[in-house]
Amino acid sequence: MKGKKPALDNVVPMKGDSYRPTPPAPEWFPHPEAVEAWEHLAPVLIAKNRLEPHHEDLFAAYCVAVGDFVRFSGELAVLGNYYEVKTRNGLQEKKRAAWGQRQDALATMQRIGALYGMSPVDEARLGNGGQGSFLEELEKAMRGGAS
């Protein structure tokens, strides 16, 4: 064909075709596990239109929690969940600090992850396309559930 070859900056995307490159993980991430979570999950959320630029800071907090969960789980796998201490009543088992920190990271993951549809229930909730019409649902119920 004759004419100038198209460049990516002058190609108009088709409707519904919205490609956005995955932004790099924040430089302030405290450990490589958080970077791995970002690199693994961010492209998936972008493809589902759930990670907009103004939501990246909250998603970064989620990735840090994932990284913490992975690190503390590894520490507990090596050291065990409990340690023994001598008391006046004999030996007692105490939970390691990493056990509580892992629980905190998991709670953070669950709380923030729900906003991004990270569990099957949350994904179904986000994927239903909105609230629907109350009147349509009421009419459907009045007809006995038939459409």
Side-chain angles (χ1 to χ4, degrees), residues 1 3 8 10 20 27 35 41 51 54 69 71 76 79-80 89 92-93 101 109 125 132 139 143:
M1 292 179 70
L8 288 179
N10 69 359
R20 185 167 71 90
E27 293 178 8
V35 175
L41 296 172
L51 183 58
H54 57 282
F69 182 82
R71 291 180 69 225
L76 292 173
L79 299 175
N89 296 326
Q92 289 186 345
E93 286 188 338
Q101 292 168 318
M109 287 169 55
R125 178 182 52 83
E139 289 174 2
R143 288 191 303 264

Side-chain angles (χ1 to χ4, degrees), residues 2-3 5 19 26 38 53 62 70 99 107 110 112 121-122 126:
K2 293 183 179 183
K5 300 285 184 209
Y19 172 76
W38 179 281
Y62 176 82
V70 170
W99 191 89
Q110 290 171 328
I112 297 174
V121 171
D122 295 321
L126 291 176

Side-chain angles (χ1 to χ4, degrees), residues 5-131:
K5 300 285 184 209
L8 288 179
D9 60 344
N10 69 359
V11 174
V12 178
M14 295 178 67
K15 186 175 182 178
D17 198 19
S18 59
Y19 172 76
R20 185 167 71 90
T22 304
E27 293 178 8
W28 53 263
F29 272 177
H31 38 73
E33 292 86 355
V35 175
E36 289 175 25
W38 179 281
E39 291 172 350
H40 177 70
L41 296 172
V44 175
L45 292 179
I46 287 172
K48 292 181 177 188
N49 291 323
R50 293 186 187 157
L51 183 58
E52 298 297 327
H54 57 282
H55 298 145
E56 289 176 7
D57 291 333
L58 185 60
F59 180 65
Y62 176 82
C63 292
V64 169
V66 170
D68 287 345
F69 182 82
V70 170
R71 291 180 69 225
F72 295 134
S73 294
E75 184 178 322
L76 292 173
V78 171
L79 299 175
N81 289 336
Y82 300 94
Y83 63 97
E84 290 183 345
V85 295
K86 260 186 166 178
T87 66
R88 64 179 180 205
N89 296 326
L91 288 176
Q92 289 186 345
E93 286 188 338
K94 301 276 186 177
K95 292 179 188 172
R96 294 195 183 279
W99 191 89
Q101 292 168 318
R102 182 179 66 173
Q103 293 302 105
D104 291 343
L106 179 59
T108 301
M109 287 169 55
Q110 290 171 328
R111 193 172 48 254
I112 297 174
L115 302 172
Y116 291 99
M118 295 297 207
S119 76
V121 171
D122 295 321
E123 186 166 30
R125 178 182 52 83
L126 291 176
N128 68 3
Q131 293 180 351

